[in-house]
Amino acid sequence: MTLMETTSTSTGLDVCAAPPKAHPRPEGHDQYTISEVVAFTGLTAHTLRWYERIGLMPHVDRSHTGQRRFTNRDLDWLTFVGKLRLTGMPVAHMVRYAELLREGEHTFGERQELLEATRRDVRTRIAELQDTLAVLDHKIDFYAGARRAPERPST
């Protein structure tokens, strides 16, 4: 899944415009335990609890016994958060984004600004990495050429 555009639903939550990874269960039967989410996402239970504690996932449903029950929407959100993590976005900015999301449509502008700033940072990092790659390619070509060159007689 790519970093996706989002649209608003009547609940004020962002929904991925790009098709999400297939869910293990259909809508309406999408009650996952924390261990199932760990298996599906690759995140640790500690990370999921921490996300909840810091406000990145504050509204995880609970069973009558207090066990966390995640939904397909939670899985989609975790996928998006994973993409934000890959961009290098600071956790504080991710939490701010989540807060703005919960506040509703009137925060679209601020959410857009956060994502645009992150996009600028990513583009800068990509340019730096491309420059670094060019240096590596140059050095690799140098060493490959040096191995192919005949040895010079020593004088």
Side-chain angles (χ1 to χ4, degrees):
M1 182 186 291
T2 61
L3 190 57
M4 50 228 122
E5 294 178 24
T6 54
T7 56
S8 176
T9 65
S10 60
T11 62
L13 295 175
D14 280 1
V15 178
C16 301
K21 185 175 171 182
H23 297 120
R25 296 188 187 125
E27 209 65 39
H29 299 284
D30 57 336
Q31 295 288 300
Y32 306 98
T33 65
I34 198 166
S35 60
E36 290 172 320
V37 174
V38 164
F40 187 71
T41 65
L43 296 170
T44 65
H46 174 78
T47 298
L48 292 169
R49 289 185 196 103
W50 180 64
Y51 281 0
E52 189 175 4
R53 205 169 38 253
I54 66 172
L56 206 46
M57 291 195 71
H59 299 296
V60 175
D61 193 32
R62 302 280 181 141
S63 70
H64 69 282
T65 60
Q67 286 186 314
R68 288 169 182 85
R69 293 290 179 210
F70 296 86
T71 64
N72 288 338
R73 176 170 281 171
D74 295 324
L75 296 179
D76 292 343
W77 174 250
L78 289 169
T79 298
F80 181 63
V81 168
K83 298 301 182 187
L84 293 179
R85 287 179 60 216
L86 287 173
T87 70
M89 178 187 268
V91 173
H93 292 182
M94 287 185 246
V95 171
R96 179 66 184 142
Y97 183 89
E99 290 168 351
L100 292 169
L101 181 63
R102 287 189 295 277
E103 290 176 22
E105 291 183 11
H106 71 278
T107 66
F108 277 6
E110 201 171 341
R111 285 186 258 166
Q112 181 179 353
E113 288 173 21
L114 266 172
L115 294 177
E116 286 175 351
T118 300
R119 180 176 58 192
R120 282 191 299 274
D121 293 343
V122 167
R123 285 184 171 158
T124 298
R125 284 187 24 233
I126 289 171
E128 291 167 348
L129 287 171
Q130 286 174 329
D131 183 54
T132 302
L133 182 60
V135 170
L136 290 173
D137 287 344
H138 175 76
K139 284 295 193 184
I140 290 167
D141 290 346
F142 170 80
Y143 290 121
R147 283 199 325 238
R148 283 193 302 267
E151 287 198 32
R152 297 183 187 117
S154 55
T155 52

